[in-house]
Amino acid sequence: MKHEKAKELFTEFLKNEKNRITPERFEVMESALDYEGHFGADDLYIVMKNLKSTVSRATVYKTLELLVKCELISKRNFGDNLTRYESNFKRQIHDHLICMDCGRIVEFVNPRLSKLPEQISNELGFVISSHSFNVFARCRDPKNCKYNK
Amino acid sequence: MKHEKAKELFTEFLKNEKNRITPERFEVMESALDYEGHFGADDLYIVMKNLKSTVSRATVYKTLELLVKCELISKRNFGDNLTRYESNFKRQIHDHLICMDCGRIVEFVNPRLSKLPEQISNELGFVISSHSFNVFARCRDPKNCKYNK
DNA sequence: ATTGCTGCAAAACGTTTGCACCTAT
DNA sequence: ATAGGTGCAAACGTTTTGCAGCAAT
């Protein structure tokens, strides 16, 4: 069965937070974890509609926020002001480089960064929750860059 | 006279990009550089309106983008999907920690971070333009935290 | 039985656009 | 003279909300 572990985690989270366990919420969870790459809430809604789901737009939006809270997905923002999400499930923590010419998004993992968010939080008197590190740059080699933003 | 150096830089930029030099653009520039802290485009428009400026909302929005391009101000995003700006003028490059309970934003400078965006860009075959590093955390000491988000 | 969740449509929000007029070049 | 900028209001796309009915507890 698919996303069995995620389903467990989400159920646990819903119970702890005194939220109800509904089939719609699991439907959204499944679709979100299945989505390849980054997606907007509305993108996910459309995909689900096309797959004949009856879940409403409002439920998709609300459930995505629940999934962020229980850390099954991450909320991203790449400088345009669109909210994007991506699955965390079975994925390493990573950061993003955005090409300012073509909009391409490159994911990277940098060990020099890994402890930094926690250290900074501690130094400032906070407890870390998450971080977002975006590098905005341009393709060095223009023929790799489609300028198709 | 106020912001004389900024005015020079902006004029130079407008000429290079073959944009016209208009009084409205300088009015927006002055107000943006005067603004204390982070502000949305609409916040700035309201402030200007209150100061009896006749500059239109459209011009404010468009001019802010020009000011970002010429690096007099920075565009920020703190996880809500609101575009915020802040003046770069006479300021050090810094990053932000956002308290997820009260929404407080703490600015910090970390030397371990300073070369990282450029190094990462180089390694991935890009030329650095800018970066954004946000740490999302919670006040360790609840009495410092107003939970007033 | 109660409270919270859902679906729907409408509203809200920040932002962008189309257009006629104006102004810097 | 002309390309580009401005102000206005309307349009836009995404997200949130109010409400009646429904379903999980």
Side-chain angles (χ1 to χ4, degrees), chain A residues 19-20 22 24-25 54-56 59:
Chain A
N19 289 309
R20 288 189 182 165
T22 68
E24 289 86 354
R25 286 176 173 170
T54 57
V55 174
S56 72
T59 299

Side-chain angles (χ1 to χ4, degrees), chain A residues 37-65:
Chain A
H38 309 101
F39 59 94
D42 233 70
D43 299 334
L44 189 65
Y45 172 69
I46 302 297
V47 166
M48 292 178 73
K49 269 283 104 117
N50 289 341
L51 297 171
K52 308 300 176 210
S53 168
T54 57
V55 174
S56 72
R57 181 174 264 116
T59 299
V60 172
Y61 277 83
K62 285 170 189 164
T63 305
L64 285 172
E65 287 307 306

Side-chain angles (χ1 to χ4, degrees), chain B residues 43-61:
Chain B
D43 299 334
L44 189 66
Y45 172 70
I46 302 297
V47 166
M48 292 178 73
K49 269 284 104 119
N50 290 341
L51 297 172
K52 309 298 175 213
S53 168
T54 58
V55 175
S56 71
R57 181 175 262 115
T59 298
V60 172
Y61 277 83

